Every structure is written in structure tokens, then in C-alpha cells.
Amino acid sequence: MIDSPRNPRVKRFRSLAQRKYRRQEGCFPLEGLHLVEEALATEARLEEAFTCPERLRSDRAREAHRALQGSGVPCHELTERAFRQLSDTENPQGLAAVARLPEMGLADLALPSPALVLVACAIGDPGNLGTMIRTAAAAGSAAVVCTSGSADVFGPKAARATQGAIFRVAVVQDVAEDELVRWARSQSLSLVAAASEAEEAYFHGVYAERTALLVGNETQGVPPALLDAADRRVRIPMADGVESLNAAIAAAVLMFEVARRRHAPDD
Amino acid sequence: MIDSPRNPRVKRFRSLAQRKYRRQEGCFPLEGLHLVEEALATEARLEEAFTCPERLRSDRAREAHRALQGSGVPCHELTERAFRQLSDTENPQGLAAVARLPEMGLADLALPSPALVLVACAIGDPGNLGTMIRTAAAAGSAAVVCTSGSADVFGPKAARATQGAIFRVAVVQDVAEDELVRWARSQSLSLVAAASEAEEAYFHGVYAERTALLVGNETQGVPPALLDAADRRVRIPMADGVESLNAAIAAAVLMFEVARRRHAPDD
């Protein structure tokens, strides 16, 4: 039973809240029931896990604890005091783990047909980016590509906002704009960019069988080079006087429009 | 020039971060360029304003400052030190104000035809609730009704997430479930509830000219009594293995579906 907040494993887990240590060690920290459950349910590679028996307060949490123990992953028990030091949250759920960073490049993506890809253009807010990934998984996207300047998807705040979708959808990070365009051409992906000044409303848009949707951050939108490279530009019509939508909301409206067309092509 | 962090106006502004003081005083605090701009552009009633000349770092911020000064609202200048004490953020933009709480009840809502209303059922996360209000304004909703148990829309975090939409869409808070149902009937509003176990996909749903969309929080969903009272229940189809959507995302998908039908009825 680990009791000391200065235990080296606890300190290392904490250090993984910083991007530089995640890169150095090739792994990232998971915390909370939902993320641990999703890691167990998918193909995440876990290095080690931490539990705090005192804080496992639901049958579901205790079930996840048993599953961790049965998974062959080294599982360390912590006292309340030590777990509080490890945790990033005020009311920890008593479950945490260290997962291998999936080292994914564009070349590793094998797209199905039809395919939907979300391109997050310099989305700096980790909560927003995490929500975009969660929504992409729900809307059936094959992958999320984050251009340089985006927050790190594997940081604690973004990972939490994905609610585990990080294990269900392939994510490629730090992609340069020209690299993205070359890859999209090589994959016969049609690039459709969200742009508030576009003429075409998104619900009149044409979405090819292989489509990548580009959504920018709220202050700058999709960068000019990518707007130029896009095959189509669409806008989301808004009520008078409203300037913009939250980036995760704009991504959701577009992705679910593509999903709707695929589910109900005649509507 | 106010320099003391213990100035009574500064202390009072800070106290308005708490719901009990907002209720007691009948007003709420605004901070940041965007919220102040929206308050000036709409019919918000401002009691007083605070600026920090040193922190007005864009032409747009200086323009808002001049507009505040020309608006007849008492405008206090603060030093950097005092403004930092007033501010809720790490990098304050040098603009803040105190606005009257709009005291709105269901009886005050005058709905147009067609009308779209969003009902936020016990949405406890202030950021999510604020994003829902921002999205409701963009999708052309006439009002947002929050049932008891929702976060306070006029708290700093929720108000910031609305990006000023709080001044563009009518919000009624603390509405009991039975009160909501009686009001909807009296207004001939069709109640459509989001429910993950519903048979009908939202894109096959029928949305009456006067529709209220009910969206629940992520753990409990729309409460049973409101599911029973709803005229229709719809689900958002999701990819295999995905459990749920963020509540603000679910609300956005449904509201923009209704907006899409109104914009492009034949698609």
C-alpha cells in the first residue's frame, strides 16, 4: 500500500501532466472511472494502474478495479492521502493508469469507405479539443487530425473531455498544413472547410464519400492556406447578431450533417 | 483612479461571483471585451463599469471603453493592481461591468411563430450550460428554460461561456418540471425529448412549428416525468461502443436540425 505523497511512482504520474514528460516517456496519464473503463474496453496499452480502495464508491468502480487486477497490468494500491496527491481532480474516483502514447502519423491511418475525417485547425483549448474528439467518435469519424498549434490531446484536461473516445478514434497530432493537403490528395479526400463568410450553407453542401471537415479556432477560423486548398467552403447559418459558434459545436453540427446524410440519404 | 484591492466597489464586484449575493443585489458581474460589447449592443441594463486603461490592448477594447464612457453608465478606472483583484481571469482584458439580473418568468416569455425553445434539464456544469445558451441564440431559439438543479446562468463561468448570448436569448431559470409541462401545454408547444433509448432517430423526427427540445444532463438524461410528458422522444444515432454525447453537443445537433428544416424545408 503506497501511502507517501512523495512516492516516486506518484511523482512520475503527476509529472505526466506536462507535455514534455509525456513525450520523453512515451506515455500519458488517465484518471477516473470512465477513462479507465474505456482503456480496458479498447486496445489501449496500459503500463501500470493506481487504485484507492477507499474511494471506489460504486459497483461499477469496484468492477473496473477487478478488471484492472485481472488484466495483467501492474496495479498499485494507494491510501487516500497518496491518491489525492496523484489526482488532478477534487473528488477523485480512485482509479488511474498510465497508458502508452499511440505514436500515430498520417501514414498509419487506414481509412475506410465511406470515410469521415475531422481536421482540428489549431484548436488551443484542451476541453474543446477533447469534446471534438468525443463527438467525432460518436458521429462515426475514422480519424481526427490536429494541425500544429492545437492543444495536446493526451493532456489531462483534453483526455478527460474525450470521455475515453481517445481510445476509439485514431488521432494524429502536429500535422503541418502542407502535409495535410498532400495527404488528403493522396487519399482522395474532399476537403470541406467551415468558413463564416462562405456562400454555401452547410445543409446545401455536397459531401463526398471520403470527406475531411476542417474546423478552425474561434478567433482565427480555418487558416487561409487551408481555406484556399479546400474543395468546398460551407457556413453554418446563424441568427442575426450572433458572431460565432464554439468550435466544438461547429464541428458537431457539420459531422452530424454528414452522418445524417449517410444514415438517411433520402431525407 | 481606484488602486486599492480593498476598495468596496472592487470587493462588491468580487462578491457577485456568488449566487447568493447576485440574488440579494439583483445584479451579476460581466468581465471581458466580448461580454461588455454584447451588453452595450443589446438591451442590458448596466449599473456601473470598471476599466483598466493599462490593459486595453486592442483598438476594439479601446472602442468598447469609449462606448462605455459615452453610455451614461458610471465608469470607474482601476490600476492594474486593483483590476487584478476584481478579475476572475489570469489575463484580464481591462473591461468589466455590473448588469441588472433580468427577472424573467415563464409568463414573461412572448414566443414568436415558428418558435424553438430549449429546455435544459438540470444541467449542472456552468460551462456546458453557457455553451448551450450561446448555441441556442445562434440556432435562432426564442428562449432557454432551465429546470431546477441547473447551474446559474449568471455566474461568471456560465456567462463567459455564453459569449454574450445571455443578452440575446431570453432565459428563465429554476422552473419546476410540472410548471414547465403546464406552460408548454398552454403555449401549444410540442415537447420533444432527447433520449438515448428512443426508437426514432432525430433526423426522422417531426418538429412542430412551436417546439421545445428537452436535453438532460449526461449522467441522468431527461428526467422520467418529462420523458413521460413529452410528445415525442428522439435519439441521436451514434457509432458502436459510444455511450453518450456532451449535453451541449446533443442540444446543438437537435437545435440545428430544427433550424435546418426551417431554412431548407425540402432537403
Side-chain angles (χ1 to χ4, degrees):
Chain A
M1 193 78 140
I2 297 174
D3 179 48
S4 166
R6 303 167 141 256
N7 176 284
R9 289 185 193 279
V10 170
K11 285 167 82 174
R12 186 227 184 195
F13 187 93
R14 288 287 296 190
S15 79
L16 296 175
Q18 290 176 61
R19 192 172 197 167
K20 98 177 147 172
Y21 292 113
R22 291 194 294 276
R23 294 201 164 173
Q24 202 171 294
E25 310 246 334
C27 55
F28 69 105
L30 301 179
E31 215 207 307
L33 173 59
H34 206 79
L35 279 178
V36 168
E37 278 181 342
E38 287 289 293
L40 287 167
T42 55
E43 285 164 37
R45 287 161 56 206
L46 299 182
E47 282 188 0
E48 58 180 352
F50 300 91
T51 64
C52 178
E54 289 169 77
R55 297 205 69 92
L56 298 173
R57 286 184 182 149
S58 65
D59 287 343
R60 200 168 142 182
R62 285 182 289 268
E63 177 57 39
H65 184 199
R66 274 190 298 274
L68 268 177
Q69 287 174 317
S71 69
V73 175
C75 196
H76 314 289
E77 296 211 334
L78 274 66
T79 61
E80 169 106 25
R81 180 169 92 118
F83 202 90
R84 285 208 162 276
Q85 182 61 27
L86 178 122
S87 174
D88 193 44
T89 61
E90 270 179 50
N91 197 13
Q93 295 172 308
L95 290 162
V98 175
R100 295 300 305 164
L101 273 180
E103 303 278 5
M104 270 254 177
L106 288 177
D108 301 314
L109 292 178
L111 297 180
S113 263
L116 176 60
V117 172
L118 175 66
V119 180
C121 302
I123 304 295
D125 182 86
N128 251 348
L129 184 63
T131 301
M132 287 167 89
I133 289 166
R134 179 180 179 190
T135 309
S141 300
V144 178
V145 176
C146 306
T147 70
S148 310
S150 291
D152 182 5
V153 171
F154 298 99
K157 214 177 152 189
R160 192 155 51 231
T162 71
Q163 286 278 308
I166 211 168
F167 300 118
R168 296 195 179 269
V169 62
V171 179
V172 179
Q173 301 200 98
D174 275 322
V175 174
E177 293 175 9
D178 54 347
E179 193 189 347
L180 171 75
V181 174
R182 277 196 306 273
W183 172 75
R185 302 274 182 259
S186 76
Q187 296 289 319
S188 309
L189 274 164
S190 164
L191 293 174
V192 181
S196 55
E197 62 289 351
E199 296 221 345
E200 191 168 55
Y202 76 98
F203 43 71
H204 291 141
V206 173
Y207 302 95
E209 204 174 70
R210 290 165 81 86
T211 288
L213 295 170
L214 283 69
V215 175
N217 70 47
E218 290 170 45
T219 45
Q220 275 134 18
V222 173
L226 291 178
L227 278 182
D228 284 348
D231 299 287
R232 305 184 83 92
R233 284 157 290 276
V234 297
R235 72 187 158 81
I236 300 175
M238 288 185 277
D240 289 346
V242 177
E243 254 181 61
S244 68
L245 284 171
N246 170 293
I249 298 288
V253 170
L254 298 182
M255 287 192 285
F256 274 99
E257 175 66 2
V258 176
R260 181 186 75 79
R261 305 260 192 115
R262 292 180 181 173
H263 275 106
D266 302 327
D267 282 8
Chain B
M1 194 77 138
I2 297 174
D3 178 49
S4 167
R6 303 168 142 256
N7 176 284
R9 288 186 195 280
V10 171
K11 286 168 80 175
R12 185 227 185 196
F13 187 93
R14 287 287 298 190
S15 76
L16 296 175
Q18 290 174 61
R19 191 172 197 165
K20 105 177 144 171
Y21 292 113
R22 291 195 293 276
R23 293 202 163 173
Q24 201 170 294
E25 311 246 335
C27 54
F28 69 104
L30 300 179
E31 215 207 305
L33 173 59
H34 206 80
L35 279 178
V36 168
E37 278 180 344
E38 287 288 293
L40 287 166
T42 55
E43 284 164 36
R45 288 161 54 207
L46 298 182
E47 281 188 1
E48 60 180 350
F50 300 92
T51 63
C52 178
E54 290 169 76
R55 296 204 68 92
L56 300 172
R57 285 180 184 152
S58 65
D59 288 343
R60 199 167 143 183
R62 285 182 288 268
E63 177 56 40
H65 185 199
R66 277 191 295 275
L68 268 177
Q69 287 173 318
S71 69
V73 175
C75 196
H76 315 290
E77 297 209 336
L78 274 66
T79 60
E80 169 106 26
R81 180 169 91 119
F83 203 90
R84 284 208 163 276
Q85 181 62 27
L86 177 122
S87 174
D88 192 41
T89 61
E90 269 179 50
N91 196 13
Q93 295 173 308
L95 291 161
V98 174
R100 296 298 306 163
L101 272 179
E103 303 278 5
M104 271 253 176
L106 288 177
D108 301 314
L109 292 177
L111 297 180
S113 264
L116 176 60
V117 172
L118 175 66
V119 180
C121 303
I123 304 295
D125 182 86
N128 250 349
L129 184 63
T131 300
M132 287 168 90
I133 289 166
R134 179 179 179 192
T135 309
S141 300
V144 177
V145 176
C146 306
T147 69
S148 310
S150 292
D152 183 5
V153 173
F154 298 100
K157 213 177 152 188
R160 192 156 51 230
T162 72
Q163 286 278 308
I166 210 168
F167 300 119
R168 295 195 179 269
V169 62
V171 179
V172 179
Q173 301 200 98
D174 274 320
V175 174
E177 294 176 8
D178 54 346
E179 194 188 347
L180 171 75
V181 174
R182 279 197 305 273
W183 172 75
R185 303 273 182 260
S186 76
Q187 296 288 319
S188 309
L189 274 165
S190 164
L191 293 174
V192 181
S196 54
E197 61 290 351
E199 296 221 345
E200 191 167 55
Y202 77 98
F203 43 71
H204 291 141
V206 173
Y207 302 95
E209 203 173 72
R210 291 165 80 87
T211 288
L213 294 171
L214 283 70
V215 176
N217 69 46
E218 291 169 46
T219 44
Q220 275 134 19
V222 173
L226 291 178
L227 278 182
D228 283 349
D231 299 287
R232 305 185 83 91
R233 283 158 291 276
V234 296
R235 72 188 158 82
I236 301 176
M238 288 184 277
D240 289 346
V242 177
E243 253 182 60
S244 69
L245 285 171
N246 170 293
I249 297 287
V253 170
L254 298 181
M255 287 192 286
F256 274 98
E257 173 67 2
V258 175
R260 180 185 75 80
R261 305 259 192 118
R262 290 179 182 173
H263 276 105
D266 302 326
D267 282 8

